[in-house]
Amino acid sequence: MIVPVPNERYSPHYVDGYVLLLRQIQTPEAFLTAAGVTGEGYAATLMRTIYRQLYVKSLDFKHEFDTYYKPEYRSFSEYLERNYSVPDELLEKADQYYEEYAHILLAHPYASFLHNEEGEKRLKALLEEPD
Amino acid sequence: MRIRTGFVSNSSSTSFLIVTKGEMTLERFLALVGVLPGSVMGGVFAQLYEAMMDSPWHRVDFGADGAPEVDEAVASWRNADLSDHMMERIREAKGRGEIVIYGELSSDNEPVETFFCCESFELDGEGLYINALEATW
């Protein structure tokens, strides 16, 4: 599941970030296959960079909460609300998502072709999420 | 095949050079970058291909009858953008009778073109060479 996060500095409608709610992290190989990459060309280099942005350089809210902050807050949703500006649709169900998903990542892919409505469709396809 | 990549932090436009043995086609381009047609990234690179082919500044077929000499061909081009490395490839293209396409990507257009305008890459494959390393305003 993907929740778009608008970039308020640009516009309330410009989406360049996403919260990724995942049961498991794709392998790099699965990600490249979902992208349609063949061989070791430029596309493979590019998609490995994007993979790192999504899965390695992203912030895992759930991991951060479990590792450092759990004793300080009554719930995951309270931790999110007090520390991050996340969309209401995520906040409202955050505690349910916490139980349901293994990873709750905040990612900002630098590729502008993954931003906004068209980009979200591409990202869902890359993550093999239903549209 | 050789690949070199990088990025520029801010670019409103970038020039690119294509040297191709025979006509440049979408199929050859997708094979060079390494994506399947119809896939997610196949669609992204197809948009990049369209952007590159839409409005090339210059196209010279060095295999055609009456093809110009290199210096004559590039005299009207923006020479400041043509590095020694690019000029060397154009001279090689002349010797092999290949097609040279020189054009521009702009960051004012679609998101796909905008992204690759700020990317920097050089791809050298079978009969097809693309140089988008030298981002310029």
Side-chain angles (χ1 to χ4, degrees):
Chain A
M1 181 177 168
I2 296 174
V3 177
V5 180
N7 188 333
E8 303 285 350
R9 283 181 303 170
Y10 292 152
S11 149
H13 307 294
Y14 190 90
V15 173
D16 65 358
Y18 298 92
V19 175
L20 314 178
L21 299 115
L22 307 168
R23 292 194 168 82
Q24 61 180 13
I25 301 286
Q26 283 171 298
T27 64
E29 292 74 22
F31 183 72
L32 264 61
T33 300
V37 169
T38 59
E40 288 298 324
Y42 171 51
T45 304
L46 174 63
M47 295 314 289
R48 285 205 177 88
T49 301
I50 292 174
Y51 179 91
R52 284 195 295 276
Q53 289 175 346
L54 294 176
Y55 293 126
V56 181
K57 294 184 176 181
S58 55
L59 171 63
D60 190 333
F61 285 141
K62 184 168 175 172
H63 176 75
E64 185 180 79
F65 175 69
D66 287 344
T67 307
Y68 304 110
Y69 298 108
K70 204 166 187 174
E72 297 178 29
Y73 296 94
R74 281 171 294 183
S75 64
F76 180 61
S77 56
E78 184 190 7
Y79 151 78
L80 277 184
E81 186 174 22
R82 286 176 179 258
N83 291 283
Y84 297 101
S85 175
V86 296
D88 288 346
E89 64 175 297
L90 175 68
L91 209 51
E92 285 163 9
K93 293 186 175 178
D95 294 323
Q96 176 191 325
Y97 293 152
Y98 176 83
E99 299 298 329
E100 202 172 333
Y101 293 97
H103 304 277
I104 302 176
L105 309 178
L106 175 65
H108 287 90
Y110 82 128
S112 52
F113 59 79
L114 294 177
H115 297 173
N116 295 320
E117 195 174 339
E118 195 64 27
E120 187 182 337
K121 285 182 188 170
R122 291 191 183 109
L123 188 58
K124 281 181 176 174
L126 291 173
L127 271 51
E128 300 181 309
E129 288 279 326
D131 198 9
Chain B
M1 184 174 72
R2 292 191 305 118
I3 308 168
R4 183 153 49 140
T5 65
F7 71 97
V8 289
S9 58
N10 185 17
S11 174
S12 64
S13 67
T14 181
S15 57
F16 64 84
L17 176 75
I18 297 171
V19 177
T20 171
K21 185 176 183 179
E23 287 300 328
M24 170 86 162
T25 64
L26 175 61
E27 289 69 24
R28 292 180 65 206
F29 177 67
L30 295 183
L32 179 66
V33 297
V35 286
L36 295 170
S39 64
V40 179
M41 289 308 293
V44 169
F45 279 104
Q47 282 190 32
L48 172 61
Y49 173 81
E50 284 173 21
M52 288 176 134
M53 293 296 102
D54 252 7
S55 53
W57 288 334
H58 304 283
R59 182 185 187 282
V60 178
D61 183 351
F62 284 114
D65 289 341
E69 293 300 316
V70 171
D71 290 342
E72 183 190 343
V74 304
S76 63
W77 299 10
R78 291 168 61 184
N79 283 350
D81 297 341
L82 293 168
S83 65
D84 291 345
H85 184 50
M86 280 181 164
M87 285 302 297
E88 184 185 336
R89 293 304 300 232
I90 295 170
R91 290 197 178 90
E92 286 174 11
K94 167 71 177 171
R96 295 174 188 153
E98 294 171 331
I99 297 168
V100 171
I101 298 166
Y102 185 55
E104 174 192 53
L105 295 175
S106 168
S107 60
D108 294 332
N109 295 329
E110 294 299 311
V112 168
E113 185 174 346
T114 299
F115 173 74
F116 287 104
C117 185
C118 296
E119 279 282 294
S120 170
F121 55 93
E122 181 183 34
L123 314 174
D124 197 354
E126 287 297 313
L128 182 57
Y129 168 80
I130 300 177
N131 183 326
L133 281 179
E134 294 160 32
T136 57
W137 291 77

